[in-house]
């Protein structure tokens, strides 16, 4: 027999992830819209409320959840602080509400005076219950109603105000409450950051190894291009033992700089440096601090790379051999995927008996860089380390650093990618680079943005990375670079680009692998940072459009649209005050003519009057009417980003761009 | 820091209901197909197993779950006993599997002899770990392999048999286990019972009040018609106070029998009888016992009605006034939905302070009838009693009586109906009576049979009840009765009919309400039980088709088919050995010509050869080929039930019917 029970059942609460096992994610300033399915036996009025608080706030806030359709109740709250919010639903029988509803029907049905008076007595006892804990003012009001009821005043019993007054003070009969659910509230850039990746050692105009001070000189340019986050491959000392040469050659020449992901090497003073050191040739920790400071001045966040693997020269190898895998002869195993061998790095054995010391040390790597002003990290291959480690590590880090942004570089199977997001990564690389048809993009968009995934998985779309140069960019050249950039920057609200080769449409693959030739991973490259023919102006314009259109800073409202051409993809994104429609051609070689079909009602556009369309990429303005709109995209102009004005045919906002860009 | 952790994560298990909060439901003899999403960091071979047992069985049974697509693993088990089964998933790293996979690639990749020998040493230690707990025979085999490995025998390391041997005995590294989930295993009739409802007092050929002994004489007829369960409205003494008259008249005449749902009245000996008594005019408990015995001889189950409400004459009213609602003047409230009053019954107050005594007493009502041989119950308005009561009561009852079948008569909002099913009702009335177009039927079918609802909600389809006489049956007459009967009997596998008026196409509504005129609820009717023009032969045939076609005894495999006519609905249902296609016309007035479109691949039918179609309703046989098949349904023949033979153009099973039925 149950010890206690309630007639009220909260049958469902959403959004939740796996029934509340994991937090939902929001960016600061967003609203959380909660829906609860609440039922009760018989016919009773219910009061349903949403109870929420920031984890650091002892006071609970309460908001009513009015009824919607199908026994569901909805309420919203704003997450105004970074960190963790807790929310739950409570519901109880609103006895006075039930009574009032029945009383109204008794009066209307013409029940006898004796019956009415008897029922008013029931009402009196409900008023008296409510008056007990009410503050003085309300108590007086309630007592006045008691008198009216006792005098047989039917009308006094039927008002909305008395209903609300009693509801507010009456004891919560048969109250039941849901489990408590969490919201992880991230900085806005976790939702809408634009990332720019580059190798700091390659920023000089000659082919010398650059320092982070040299790299800092490129920051204003990146900031002017509209990026939010600069992401640097590992900045740590690079191992010499088994160092890789250009184009992944198994042996390096004496002057080859090596891969930054072979972490750990000799410092100038003869000591060894690992994950908490900066490569001497990059200028050491002082140059790093100056780099972060300069970025900060420019409003840029610095993201560094966390790759938990060690070159044979890493201090851990000597100090903690127990953290590695061993061969029967006692030697430490290098990374391998038989028969391939990666002799420049040792993987870490997370199953070591000394795992608590290992885990603490790895967590302290993050803490070290947080102390140096970095709160944004790109984690290399998190799916080759235990899920339990990340769950613990990220949760612990967020206790001190709730503004943490952690991008999961797990290009692996869907369930693994999703699970990493659930346990704390708040940005994730995706399959975007391999989705190259309208159908594939739409299907992927539906999965990411219109399923429960949107509650916890924040896709960060990259058209390229040092490891990924898709055939599409190789064969499609400049038009494909423009198309893919627009798609990355507008499909998801978080995106990034491995900048230098992308801007310069440098698209030579090594050995027909999906990877750049002369890859900066293994050698120093020089780039013309002031090339007027580069994609820099185009990328700048796209970022400005993102900044000025809130619809592009969120990923929930996307709706794919018909184009009547197999190579054109189109989608609308909106907020209450902003509607953007993007059309992109996926044919880099031929012009494509199609019809953009606008579902006017869904997009909030007028059916019977004109509305304006402003192509923000080339500043052209149109007056449109109706659903179908002819479009022609060409290799030179492979994309449109329209802002549509719902309120009429004129757009009142002044043009915000100096000149159209014909990049 | 976690105290313990595993690299293996079981990310999902299905089927479950609300993440395991409620059991899934199966009928005895069914198989449960379990899918688990299991992931691990890095590249490791996993062993995944399904562990299950009957709650009364101390031994756990284990079956392997081989990998399927997308990191999912699947396994099945049969639920061969009624009661509760428990199942969970466990998964661990199959070290030898990982090692063997890598070793194979080392050998194929041509690693050096020294490397191969080093790896074989790793293999040896895995073999030795496995040998430790292996039984003697297997230990010998493992040790033989140890020797082979030590001798550098590569081939010995690559076999499937050694992999399986080690897997079976090796320690479970990094094992993780899911939560434990429940299956409620019901009798087959919970899934595929055909119910027949009638008022036992109305079975005589004259208009006298019949007894249960009279009613028992009708049982062979019901059994011959192919029904499984006879359902009787309440058989208890009927209150005299405020008794209702014919057609729901507020006052009864001296000879009116009253509504069986006004439970509780005076017995002959002057005592009061309630939910544990049998109405004297039905012959008392002795007649009831004889009725149950006769049904049992015929293989019929008896279902009685549990309606927890009391006439003013019920013994509870006098003995336990605290179980009822009171007016301010102390009098007990009758049921009302203001301004309507139901003065012949008092509702029970489940919130009474004396609820434990009340709950125990109500549970004992079920137990009383279980002692009299009844394990099937139709519960009247369960949604006006607390969910918590049903959850407790049904769970307690099933401890002694796992074969319990409890039909929820909750015609209310969807969330409430679904919740009652989750907490223990294993059959539920539905909205079927109000779904009267192909679109509405298909949409409802998709919701019931192709969503998670199918795991816990067993829809029991009724074309009519004493409370429901839909306009469709009124205006559509005999053809509509036949159509709706075929739909009820073949869409869901559980169905029922309020027999006497249905067989006789008695379809007069009272005051255009959706209710029978001269309703048997309030008066005694007489029926011609041997009327050759009744629907009895037609219903008999449909039930025989159900009995002989396993596809119609389950509800999961249904697939709706195209008919190219707006008033024709068609669907296929199948098991591995049985394929049935049903086509029904919803136009009772006009012939409908359409094309039955068979998706051959989905239905397992041959694309390039003929197959036979046997119309089981009229015994016509056709040889069909291809996808489109012309059909004409008429008011006389408003339905086809085809058995299709997948294996060729001839159906080898002999005809099972004596004669076609032209009812």
């Amino acid at each position: 027999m149950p010890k206690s029970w309630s007639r009220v059942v909260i049958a469902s609460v959403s959004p939740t992830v796996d029934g509340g096992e994991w937090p939902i994610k929001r960016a600061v300033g967003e609203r959380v819209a909660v829906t609860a399915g609440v039922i009760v036996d018989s016919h009773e009025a219910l009061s349903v409320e949403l109870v929420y608080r920031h984890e650091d706030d002892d006071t609970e806030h309460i908001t009513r959840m009015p009824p919607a359709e199908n026994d569901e109740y909805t309420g919203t709250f704003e997450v105004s602080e970074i960190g963790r919010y807790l929310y739950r639903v409570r519901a109880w029988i609103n006895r006075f509400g039930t009574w009032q509803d029945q009383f109204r029907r008794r009066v209307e049905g013409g029940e006898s005076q004796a019956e009415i008076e008897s029922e008013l007595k029931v009402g009196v006892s409900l008023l008296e219950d409510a008056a007990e804990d009410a503050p003085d003012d309300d108590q007086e009001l309630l007592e006045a109603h008691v008198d009216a009821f006792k005098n047989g005043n039917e009308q006094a019993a039927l008002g909305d105000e008395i209903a609300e007054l009693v509801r507010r003070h009456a004891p919560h009969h048969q109250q039941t409450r849901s489990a408590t659910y969490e919201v992880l509230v991230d900085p806005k850039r976790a939702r809408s950051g634009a990332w720019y990746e580059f190798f700091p050692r390659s920023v000089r105009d000659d082919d010398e190894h650059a320092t982070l001070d040299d790299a800092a000189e490129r920051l204003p340019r990146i900031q002017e291009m509209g990026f939010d986050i600069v992401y640097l491959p590992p900045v740590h000392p690079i191992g010499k033992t088994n160092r890789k040469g250009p184009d992944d050659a198994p042996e390096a020449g004496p002057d080859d700089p090596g891969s930054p992901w072979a972490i750990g090497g000799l410092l100038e003073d003869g000591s060894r440096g690992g994950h908490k050191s900066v490569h001497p040739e990059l200028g050491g920790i002082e140059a790093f601090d100056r780099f972060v400071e300069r970025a900060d001045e420019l409003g840029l966040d610095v993201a560094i790379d966390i790759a938990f693997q060690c070159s044979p020269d890493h201090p851990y190898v000597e100090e903690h051999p127990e953290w590695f895998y061993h061969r029967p002869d006692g030697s430490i195993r290098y990374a391998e995927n038989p028969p391939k061998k990666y002799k420049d790095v040792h993987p870490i054995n997370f199953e070591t008996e000394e795992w608590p010391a290992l885990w603490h040390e790895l967590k302290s790597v993050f803490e070290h860089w947080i102390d140096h002003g970095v709160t944004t990290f790109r984690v290399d291959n998190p799916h080759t380390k235990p899920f339990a480690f990340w769950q613990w590590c990220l949760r612990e880090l967020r206790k001190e650093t709730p503004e943490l942004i952690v991008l999961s570089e797990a290009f692996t199977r869907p369930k693994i990618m999703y699970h990493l997001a659930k346990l704390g990564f708040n940005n994730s690389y995706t399959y975007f680079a391999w989705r190259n048809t309208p159908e594939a993009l739409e299907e992927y968009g539906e999965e990411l943005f219109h399923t429960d995934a949107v509650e916890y998985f924040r896709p960060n779309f990259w058209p390229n990375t040092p490891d990924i140069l898709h055939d599409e960019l190789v064969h499609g050249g400049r038009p494909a670079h423009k198309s893919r950039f627009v798609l990355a920057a507008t499909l998801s609200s978080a995106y990034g680009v491995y900048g230098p080769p992308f801007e310069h449409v440098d698209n030579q693959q090594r050995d027909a692998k999906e990877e750049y030739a002369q890859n900066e991973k293994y050698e120093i490259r020089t780039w013309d940072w002031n090339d007027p023919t580069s994609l820099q102006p185009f990328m700048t314009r796209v970022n400005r459009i993102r900044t000025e259109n809130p619809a592009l800073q969120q990923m929930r409202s996307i709706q794919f649209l018909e184009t009547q051409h197999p190579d054109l993809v189109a989608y609308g994104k909106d907020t209450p005050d902003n509607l953007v429609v993007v059309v992109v051609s996926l044919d880099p070689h031929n012009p494509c003519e199609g019809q953009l079909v606008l579902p006017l009602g869904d997009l909030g556009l007028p059916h019977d009057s004109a509305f304006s369309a402003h192509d923000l990429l080339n500043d052209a303005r149109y007056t449109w009417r109706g659903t179908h709109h002819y479009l022609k995209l060409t290799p030179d102009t492979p994309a449109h980003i329209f802002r549509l004005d719902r309120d009429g045919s004129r757009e009142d906002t002044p043009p915000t761009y100096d000149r159209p860009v014909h990049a």
Side-chain angles (χ1 to χ4, degrees), chain A residues 312-324:
Chain A
D313 305 334
H314 195 289
Y316 293 164
V317 177
E318 208 171 82
E319 294 164 18
H320 292 287
E322 73 278 11
W323 292 353
F324 297 90

Side-chain angles (χ1 to χ4, degrees), chain A residues 99-377:
Chain A
W99 176 87
Q100 195 184 46
D101 168 53
Q102 294 189 350
F103 186 75
R104 182 174 293 116
R105 290 187 276 132
R106 289 179 198 280
V107 172
E108 286 165 4
E111 286 200 354
S112 72
Q113 193 56 31
E115 283 170 313
I116 293 292
E117 276 171 23
S118 169
E119 291 309 319
L120 280 170
K121 284 184 189 162
V122 177
V124 164
S125 81
L126 295 171
L127 292 178
E128 286 171 346
D129 286 351
E132 219 162 277
D133 291 325
D136 288 352
D137 283 6
D138 287 350
Q139 209 166 44
E140 274 172 33
L141 279 169
L142 287 163
E143 280 159 9
H145 274 83
V146 167
D147 292 339
F149 280 32
K150 285 186 176 164
N151 292 330
N153 181 344
E154 292 170 9
Q155 290 312 312
L158 296 174
D160 289 344
E161 279 171 41
I162 183 63
E164 173 52 25
L165 194 64
V166 182
R167 199 202 69 85
R168 209 154 58 230
H169 301 299
H172 291 185
H173 288 285
Q174 296 283 331
Q175 177 165 297
T176 191
R177 52 170 64 183
S178 73
T180 298
Y181 305 97
E182 284 187 354
V183 195
L184 185 69
V185 180
D186 294 317
K188 282 191 180 153
R189 282 180 181 176
R191 190 188 60 194
S192 56
W195 296 51
Y196 186 92
E197 174 177 6
F198 72 106
F199 285 77
R201 68 188 182 189
S202 286
V203 300
R204 285 173 64 106
D205 293 327
D206 55 30
D207 57 359
E208 292 298 301
H209 194 298
T211 66
L212 284 163
D213 289 313
D214 299 324
E217 289 178 29
R218 301 295 179 201
L219 289 175
R221 178 183 182 277
I222 296 168
Q223 189 260 354
E224 282 158 21
M225 287 178 78
F227 288 97
D228 304 305
I229 296 165
V230 284
Y231 152 50
L232 309 179
V235 294
H236 315 302
I238 297 173
K240 289 222 159 160
T241 307
N242 301 329
R243 178 179 281 190
K244 294 265 178 96
D247 281 338
D248 202 18
E251 285 180 28
D255 297 328
D256 287 333
S259 162
W261 282 272
I263 293 164
L266 273 176
L267 301 183
E268 284 164 34
D269 62 3
S271 72
R272 291 181 183 278
H275 285 79
K276 297 175 184 170
S277 303
V278 173
H279 198 36
E281 294 182 67
L282 284 172
I285 189 67
E286 295 78 11
F288 183 85
D289 289 340
R290 287 189 294 269
F291 182 87
V292 172
E293 195 180 346
R294 183 73 183 115
D296 195 45
E297 286 165 10
L298 293 165
L300 290 168
D301 291 334
V302 174
I304 65 166
D305 194 295
I306 298 289
F308 284 137
Q309 56 192 20
C310 300
S311 96
D313 305 334
H314 195 289
Y316 293 164
V317 177
E318 208 171 82
E319 294 164 18
H320 292 287
E322 73 278 11
W323 292 353
F324 297 90
Y325 294 96
H326 296 261
R327 290 190 197 80
D329 68 3
S331 60
I332 293 179
R333 283 189 186 271
Y334 37 71
E336 51 184 339
N337 179 19
K340 285 195 208 159
K341 300 170 196 301
Y342 307 91
K343 294 193 178 180
D344 60 340
V345 285
H346 294 307
I348 291 173
N349 176 10
F350 282 80
E351 280 190 63
T352 170
E353 288 184 13
E354 304 301 324
W355 64 268
L358 169 68
W359 286 26
H360 277 294
E361 171 61 21
L362 297 182
K363 175 164 75 77
S364 78
V365 170
F366 283 97
E367 289 163 343
H368 177 86
W369 296 107
I370 290 169
D371 287 344
H372 284 274
V374 176
T375 58
T376 308
F377 299 91

